Amino acid sequence: MAKRKVGALEKVDADLPNLQHKLRRDPISYKDDFCKQYNQYATQREIFLQAPSSATDGGIVSFRDLIDFISHVADCYPVITARFPQELAEILTLHHTVLETELREKIVGSLVLLRRKEIIDSSALLHTLFPILTTTPSKSLRTLVFQKILSDLRSSNAKTTNHRLNRTIQTVLYNLLTSDRSSPKGIWAVKLTRELWKRQIWTDSKAVEIMKEASLADNEKVIVGSIRFFLGGDKEREEMEDESSDEETSIDIGKLRHQAGINKKTGKKMKSLDKAVATVKKKERKKSQPHPLNFSALHLLHDPQGFAETLFSKHLQNSRSKLNLEQKLQVLQLVSRLVGLHKLTIISLYSYFIKYLTPRQPSVTSFLASLAQSTHSLVPPDVLEPLVQKIANEFVSEAAASEVASAGLNAIREICVRQPLAMNDTLLQDLVMYRKSKDKGVMMAAKGLLGLYREVGAELLKKRDRGKQAAMGLRSGDRKEKRFGEEEAGEIDGLELLEQWKAEEKKKRREEKGLPVEGSDGEAMEADEEEDWGAWDVEENESDDSGGWIDVESDADIDISDDEENKQPLKKPKLDDEHPIATTSDPEAAADTTPQAAPEKKPSTLATTRILTPADLAKLQELRIQANVSSLLKPSQKRRLEKENNRHIDDPLTSLEIEGLASLSARKTKEAKLAAAAAGKTERNEHRSTQSMRHEKKIREGKSTTNKEKARKKNFLMTLGKAKGKQKKSLVERGRVLKGHVERQKRGGKRGNKGK
């Protein structure tokens, strides 16, 4: 039988990509062809809907190709394809469980393509895909739909925040969680919210409320997912931001420009160069913009007290809770962080800890960390004293292992840092005696507790344990016993040190100018203002000795200032003579004026009278370090104390910090010591020559190699003809070649550029 010839029109009909290309170029001329294909799609759709589960393979392939074709050119014929998106949504919604895998993915991809062409909006797309995400049994379809929903929300919020769409989706997720708390469908609300929070698309309190409702659900997976969000969502967001900044900084514009100037210039390479330049410019613009305020999820909670109480009563106190010990521990960590961060009051929380405070309890250091984290200055000391006493009895004893004792002492110290009144003098003096222990971990933990109470409660220590600074402070009255609920007035720590330093600097400047040491404040006001303008750049103020540039004044100015200074001391004798007059006339008044108590410390007025510059703040930090007791410590102790002081209030207290000193007690084997030493060293590569490292650096920077290096790497068969030619040269020719080579070397090569 002879092969039938296919006509030109039939070829066009059969080749849908070719027809799609022609429709793009001239939609009007090919309108009839499109209508013909659309009618064929309508016929295939009706046949498919009659028996979706029993459709033939050929019919499915044809139907899939027609859907792909129409979705790509639907924007050219909006009137004809007006019902096309709705028909696809109906097929996917009603028959997604029986659809063939490739056809199902093609329909989802076509809907997303129609959204990119703005034929349908994001709300319609998400309302179609989200019910499928929560109801389909297919794992592959759930993954695909989740990725499409996430990418659509990202693209909708790329240029500006789409508040209307975000509120709509947040309401859908909130209703999904509150409608049925025992349903596992809520896990998709948790996953979607956590991913959008990590990418900084949702940063408002509505997203936090969604996760709050998820943590109060009855399904274990939903609870654990939301609890992990509160415990580590902010850290994930910071890591994602660091990764994106690293990707942006990895572009080397110099390398790309060098390659574009050396290699063959093509349109593709120039486009990639322009794209890289645009990315770098965008990054520079981002740097100049103000940094967005990314509040922690724990700070955006509407009612932290009610939330913490509900969490504690529903998941921890409830005997019918289905959570295992590890999951309960995560809930306990969240409750303790809420209590410590917002200074909440849940008295029953502390009695819950008592049964878990034994060395035989699994994950006991996590319970100790949670207890310390839930302690703050407003917790009654009567509530904490039994807990501290039990930790001391169970963990700290001569019969206990050194790791157990150091962990117990460290936990007691973390509790007392937050509430010093939880300790009594008898127990403290007993615990401080462990500083003489032969074990390093126990000794360091006991010394840390001793150093803490030298600062916050030296009156509880014996006189020999108080130290010099604490003893002098108690004797002079500077250190007073702290009362429960007492809060210090908010002020900048160490501001009086900065004020004192500025006064000393002012005296030095007056001495250099030849003025009296004590004078009125209005004389050097202009000079101080000029120095303050230069103090806004910290890097320029490298010298700590000088307070800035000294203005050279004229002789007339100095004479005027001297006259003013001569008038000032005349007022002082009057003030000095008032006291002797009072003593002679009234003896009782004289007795009253005798200094019986130390004068009260007046608050510094520096912050209220002037604006502190960056240089002032840098000097303030330096003065704090100098005045701190840590200046007398060893460098390793300084680093550890500085690390503790720099810990932010939002940072959680982990079990590793409780176990930190216990690692000093454990005896390491020789292999463990060698492994620790190797881990602390930088990576050492094999020995290489300087020329090899330079060559690798050139390749890394995208630079080319020399001709000599290229010749060395050339294939041997390519150099064989040249080698044979050299063998046939006569002695005279060889001498001529060598002579020419020597002359070229003297001249500086073929180009003669030696010395340039």
Side-chain angles (χ1 to χ4, degrees), residues 542-735:
E542 296 178 354
S543 176
D544 294 332
D545 298 333
S546 62
W549 292 98
I550 300 175
D551 296 332
V552 180
E553 301 179 359
S554 61
D555 295 335
D557 293 334
I558 295 174
D559 293 336
I560 291 170
S561 64
D562 286 339
D563 293 337
E564 291 177 356
E565 290 296 329
N566 292 333
K567 296 177 184 178
Q568 186 68 21
L570 297 176
K571 298 180 181 179
K572 289 185 178 179
K574 294 180 181 179
L575 297 174
D576 296 333
D577 293 341
E578 288 177 0
H579 295 289
I581 294 170
T583 51
T584 54
S585 61
D586 192 0
E588 295 179 359
D592 295 335
T593 55
T594 55
Q596 296 178 357
E600 293 185 0
K601 185 179 178 182
K602 295 182 179 180
S604 175
T605 59
L606 186 62
T608 58
T609 55
R610 58 173 291 165
I611 299 174
L612 297 180
T613 63
D616 291 337
L617 297 175
K619 188 64 184 177
L620 178 61
Q621 182 66 20
E622 181 185 343
L623 293 172
R624 283 177 191 163
I625 296 173
Q626 290 177 357
N628 199 353
V629 185
S630 62
S631 59
L632 304 175
L633 300 177
K634 297 178 181 178
S636 59
Q637 295 173 335
K638 281 184 185 179
R639 287 193 296 270
R640 184 166 57 252
L641 187 61
E642 184 178 356
K643 183 179 178 182
E644 292 178 0
N645 293 334
N646 291 339
R647 185 199 298 167
H648 198 267
I649 189 172
D650 291 349
D651 296 338
L653 181 66
T654 61
S655 59
L656 295 176
E657 296 177 15
I658 298 294
E659 300 171 2
L661 297 176
S663 62
L664 300 175
S665 302
R667 290 189 177 183
K668 296 181 180 179
T669 60
K670 184 178 180 181
E671 292 77 9
K673 291 180 181 179
L674 291 174
K681 296 178 181 177
T682 57
E683 294 184 1
R684 293 183 179 179
N685 297 327
E686 56 186 7
H687 177 70
R688 293 159 57 192
S689 63
T690 307
Q691 188 175 3
S692 174
M693 289 189 286
R694 286 177 183 170
H695 178 63
E696 184 181 354
K697 183 181 178 183
K698 275 187 176 182
I699 295 175
R700 192 167 57 248
E701 294 176 353
K703 296 180 180 179
S704 182
T705 56
T706 61
N707 291 334
K708 189 178 291 186
E709 291 173 345
K710 289 175 182 175
R712 192 181 296 123
K713 291 185 176 182
K714 189 175 286 188
N715 191 0
F716 175 71
L717 295 176
M718 297 174 67
T719 60
L720 195 58
K722 188 175 182 180
K724 288 181 178 179
K726 286 184 177 180
Q727 291 177 356
K728 295 178 181 179
K729 287 180 182 179
S730 64
L731 190 60
V732 178
E733 289 177 351
R734 289 185 181 180

Side-chain angles (χ1 to χ4, degrees), residues 76 107 220 247 284 309 332 389 397 408 449 507 551 676 692:
C76 299
I107 293 175
E220 293 85 352
E247 289 175 2
E284 293 297 328
E309 289 177 354
L332 184 62
Q389 188 70 47
S397 65
L449 186 63
K507 288 181 181 179
D551 296 332
S692 174

